[in-house]
Amino acid sequence: MTDAQETAAEPELRTTTGGGPPDDVEPAPIPLLEPREGIPPVVSTPEALESVVAAFAAGSGPVAVDAERASGYRYGQRAYLVQLRREGAGTALVDPVGCPDLSGLGEALAGAEWILHAATQDLPCLREIGMVPTLLFDTELAGRLAGFPRVGLGAMVESVLGYALEKGHSAVDWSTRPLPEPWLRYAALDVELLVDLRDALEKELDRQGKLEWAQQEFDAIASAPPPPPRKDPWRRTSGMHKVRRRRQMAAVRELWTARDKVAQRRDVSPGKVLSDAAIVEAALALPVNVHALTGLPGFGHRMGRRQLEQWQAAVDRARTLPDAELPQPGQPVAGPPPPRSWADKDPEAAARLSAARAAVSALAEQLNLPQENLITPDTVRRLCWEPPAEATPEAVGTALAAYGARPWQIEQVTPALTRALTATA
């Protein structure tokens, strides 16, 4: 074990304020983190997985968990590598392609606290392979609540623990097999210090009086149900704001649906099949034949005749749809309208929102955390659009709870929001 590795075994919370070294003193170089036990072999067989399950079940304390996806390369957001680390078990790299059912591993860790960085990003793909935590600690969210200006994993490890993580492999195609050794090294290091980072952040949150806030947030993430499927996902096509007419919207819908089927069948990212920009161009032009389609950006000479014909067929379906089957401009929105229209629709609501936003902004600055973590902007909008009949602290708190605010959030923002609502009454 090197000196740097020995130091990494017992990292301390670094002070991020206090002036730093004198101008004439060169800052000490930040050591690059090294795997303490080297890079473990990738677990890709049921027999090897059984050994990992036994080792992690026998381990102690919290377990660091991370997952790598192939966003931008493959269809969907499935996990292509799962990394774990626990005291007494070391680090494991598990291949969900060779071991698609990790429910046994999830059950072995059911009573442990799982440490993830940006948990909401990884939990959906972990859930697909049978890994669902009951207790968790999110180091990214902890960093936000503690007021850290940069909360990426590398930035947090550097500012809190004093080590530099290797960079450069976060956006690679993790579906590649076999995985190159530098990628595996990067993946192993992602969980190397998560437990240490968690312990340091817990102390910092406790020092700031925010530990209970964080625990409420972590519990909310762990208990949240899977999000429902998105309605009309084609409406989220990039550049959709250019599409005004209903028949053009129908073309976007038909092209998006056709592209999605091809992408799913080929297991590639939809953007690699046909770009959003090309879909919008075809929808705006509504070409009458393949020749006209070929002249549009995104449908050049590199595209085969068969591909062009399937895109033209989608456009033709939109061009011949009866008016009654064309999509409506916009979709029903649950909740208040966009704030930019409030001044015209309801000037009093616009005044409430302006006062409430200012109050939340001032309070968030005072508490040294992001506004959106103090209370979600959507919750503030809903409260201001349909305020309680009487803006008392009790009524405001009840409304916030109905919108999903946690107890700590209600306690902090209710006085300020109550004042904002009464001041504009």
Side-chain angles (χ1 to χ4, degrees):
M1 179 182 285
T2 66
D3 292 343
Q5 287 170 327
E6 286 183 331
T7 308
E10 295 183 359
E12 296 180 355
L13 178 64
R14 285 163 54 95
T15 302
T16 55
T17 59
D23 293 340
D24 59 345
V25 176
E26 284 288 330
I30 298 175
L32 190 65
L33 185 64
E34 297 285 346
R36 287 177 237 186
E37 300 103 16
I39 304 172
V42 177
V43 174
S44 58
T45 65
E47 295 76 21
L49 180 60
E50 283 184 15
S51 298
V52 167
V53 171
F56 275 79
S60 60
V63 56
V65 183
D66 190 27
E68 305 295 346
R69 298 175 298 278
S71 304
Y73 297 94
R74 295 289 181 176
Y75 185 87
Q77 294 294 317
R78 66 171 293 187
Y80 283 94
L81 188 70
V82 175
Q83 309 100 281
L84 307 102
R85 183 175 180 85
R86 193 180 195 188
E87 184 70 29
T91 298
L93 303 178
V94 182
D95 178 7
V97 177
C99 303
D101 182 7
L102 299 187
S103 57
L105 181 57
E107 291 168 4
L109 301 172
E113 178 188 78
W114 295 24
I115 309 169
L116 299 102
H117 193 81
T120 54
Q121 295 183 19
D122 287 341
L123 288 178
C125 69
L126 290 171
R127 186 181 288 113
E128 287 182 358
I129 53 179
M131 296 187 66
V132 184
T134 54
L135 298 171
L136 66 82
F137 189 107
D138 186 333
T139 49
E140 187 209 42
L141 182 51
R144 291 179 182 276
L145 294 175
F148 284 84
R150 297 166 60 223
V151 294
L153 181 59
M156 292 292 290
V157 167
E158 184 174 320
S159 63
V160 176
L161 302 177
Y163 282 88
L165 288 179
E166 289 189 7
K167 302 176 182 177
H169 301 303
S170 60
V172 299
D173 181 2
W174 287 95
S175 68
T176 301
R177 292 296 182 272
L179 286 164
E181 183 174 326
W183 298 13
L184 296 175
R185 176 190 180 85
Y186 165 91
L189 289 174
D190 268 1
V191 293
E192 183 80 12
L193 289 183
L194 265 186
V195 175
D196 304 293
L197 181 60
R198 171 239 182 270
D199 291 345
L201 288 171
E202 182 181 59
K203 291 179 182 177
E204 179 63 14
L205 287 167
D206 190 38
R207 185 187 71 80
Q208 296 185 24
K210 298 176 180 177
L211 185 56
E212 173 61 27
W213 303 1
Q215 289 168 343
Q216 290 183 27
E217 292 299 304
F218 303 155
D219 290 345
I221 294 173
S223 61
R230 227 184 260 281
K231 184 180 180 183
D232 292 346
W234 57 271
R235 291 185 184 270
R236 296 177 64 85
T237 302
S238 180
M240 189 69 189
H241 62 280
K242 302 176 186 176
V243 182
R244 305 285 187 183
R245 291 160 43 200
R246 292 174 63 199
R247 197 162 298 278
Q248 293 173 333
M249 293 178 185
V252 172
R253 181 179 64 187
E254 295 296 331
L255 285 163
W256 188 97
T257 303
R259 179 186 69 175
D260 195 64
K261 290 178 180 176
V262 172
Q264 188 169 10
R265 185 177 70 248
R266 290 168 48 187
D267 190 19
V268 296
S269 169
K272 289 189 174 295
V273 176
L274 186 68
S275 70
D276 279 9
I279 287 178
V280 170
E281 290 289 342
L284 294 175
L286 290 175
V288 295
N289 53 43
V290 169
H291 178 73
L293 179 68
T294 308
L296 298 176
F299 298 92
H301 63 279
R302 293 184 180 181
M303 191 170 287
R305 178 78 184 186
R306 185 176 177 183
Q307 286 180 292
L308 289 167
E309 287 176 348
Q310 72 179 352
W311 306 134
Q312 183 60 46
V315 174
D316 290 343
R317 287 193 295 273
R319 292 176 65 247
T320 57
L321 272 178
D323 287 352
E325 297 180 21
L326 296 176
Q328 294 298 321
Q331 58 189 124
V333 177
R340 62 179 177 272
S341 66
W342 285 28
D344 294 329
K345 292 178 180 291
D346 189 338
E348 291 182 2
R352 288 193 294 268
L353 182 61
S354 178
R357 283 174 163 174
V360 169
S361 177
L363 182 57
E365 185 174 352
Q366 177 186 332
L367 296 173
N368 190 30
L369 50 76
Q371 296 180 42
E372 62 271 18
N373 292 114
L374 176 58
I375 192 75
T376 67
D378 180 67
T379 296
V380 176
R381 286 194 295 269
R382 289 173 183 269
L383 178 71
C384 293
W385 186 251
E386 294 184 359
E390 292 187 25
T392 63
E394 294 76 14
V396 171
T398 299
L400 293 174
Y403 295 136
R406 262 70 72 191
W408 77 269
Q409 295 175 314
I410 296 170
E411 180 183 357
Q412 294 298 319
V413 304
T414 291
L417 289 177
T418 301
R419 289 192 297 270
L421 294 178
T422 54
T424 56

